[in-house]
Amino acid sequence: ELGVITTLAADGGAAVLVYYSRDRITSSGCEPVTLRLENLPLKQAMLVHYRIDDDHNNPYTVWEEAGAPQVPGENLLSQMRSQQEVQLYEDPCEICSEGGVLEVGFDLPLHAVSLLLLLPCPEQPPAAVNGLRALQFQGLGEASETLLRWEPLPSRAIRSYDVLHADQPDGPFERPATLPDRPTATPE
């Protein structure tokens, strides 16, 4: 039914996975959840909330709603790709725990998972990435595609990267038109 798995990192950060499930797939509903975290070593942290459910990060639902074609077209593949990476359920926010205690509340629909991360506030912005490589290949459609790879930064707080492009070294910088609204790419 409703379950919680928690972990505490060496830097004081925490991860809380909350799931709501039943064996009968035809069941539905929504459950209010209130998490009370105690003995937190952080007074201030960033709270990041991710969700997977029927309406969030679910390429299968996108495919089903399109009629479940055997060979999805380029447009449908693009829509499905925009849902394949775990995305934010809500904007990250800075939180303060009073006496090491934090309460967080939200509604969780049946057959869903929420991942909440409490991350120490960084003292300075992350460094630039290194080792950027662009690999071009033939995509599933007729157009060529480009895969970007780079060396990861040593930060648990970075969950995605914005990809920007400029014709000149000093800008102006823009997101390429072919990427989803919040492009993400995975470091090596």
Side-chain angles (χ1 to χ4, degrees), residues 82 85 87-88 91-92 159-163 175 179-185:
S82 74
E85 300 292 332
Q87 299 170 359
L88 293 171
D91 289 335
R159 303 305 297 172
S160 67
Y161 294 83
D162 284 339
V163 177
R175 286 188 176 123
L179 292 173
D181 287 343
R182 180 152 176 85
T184 59

Side-chain angles (χ1 to χ4, degrees), residues 69-87:
Q70 285 285 18
V71 181
E74 278 190 58
N75 188 33
L76 180 56
L77 282 173
S78 177
Q79 291 173 13
M80 291 168 62
R81 283 187 185 129
S82 74
Q83 294 296 309
Q84 75 183 7
E85 300 292 332
V86 177
Q87 299 170 359

Side-chain angles (χ1 to χ4, degrees), residues 17-175:
L17 182 84
V18 184
Y19 59 91
Y20 187 28
S21 181
R22 284 202 185 120
D23 288 341
R24 287 181 286 153
I25 197 80
T26 58
S27 300
S28 64
C30 192
E31 192 71 32
V33 173
T34 301
L35 297 174
R36 180 178 169 88
L37 305 173
E38 298 178 354
N39 301 317
L40 291 172
L42 300 173
K43 291 182 181 175
Q44 288 188 309
M46 291 300 295
L47 175 63
V48 185
H49 188 173
Y50 298 96
R51 168 80 54 88
I52 298 174
D53 63 20
D54 284 342
D55 299 324
H56 301 90
N57 306 305
N58 191 338
Y60 181 74
T61 300
V62 173
W63 176 72
E64 275 189 323
E65 289 173 353
Q70 285 285 18
V71 181
E74 278 190 58
N75 188 33
L76 180 56
L77 282 173
S78 177
Q79 291 173 13
M80 291 168 62
R81 283 187 185 129
S82 74
Q83 294 296 309
Q84 75 183 7
E85 300 292 332
V86 177
Q87 299 170 359
L88 293 171
Y89 177 66
E90 55 191 352
D91 289 335
C93 62
E94 193 167 331
I95 55 97
C96 296
S97 67
E98 303 223 3
V101 176
L102 176 67
E103 282 196 15
V104 179
F106 54 91
D107 290 335
L108 189 63
L110 188 55
H111 305 299
V113 175
S114 269
L115 174 63
L116 292 96
L117 300 177
L118 288 171
L119 303 168
C121 294
E123 295 179 14
Q124 53 188 309
V129 296
N130 293 311
L132 179 64
R133 293 186 316 236
L135 307 170
Q136 291 193 328
F137 60 96
Q138 181 66 37
L140 293 176
E142 295 298 317
S144 69
E145 296 194 17
T146 303
L147 173 69
L148 298 176
R149 309 261 338 215
W150 58 85
E151 295 172 22
L153 296 174
S155 172
R156 293 184 340 111
I158 297 175
R159 303 305 297 172
S160 67
Y161 294 83
D162 284 339
V163 177
L164 304 174
H165 172 268
D167 292 328
Q168 302 296 322
D170 55 350
F173 292 90
E174 299 176 348
R175 286 188 176 123

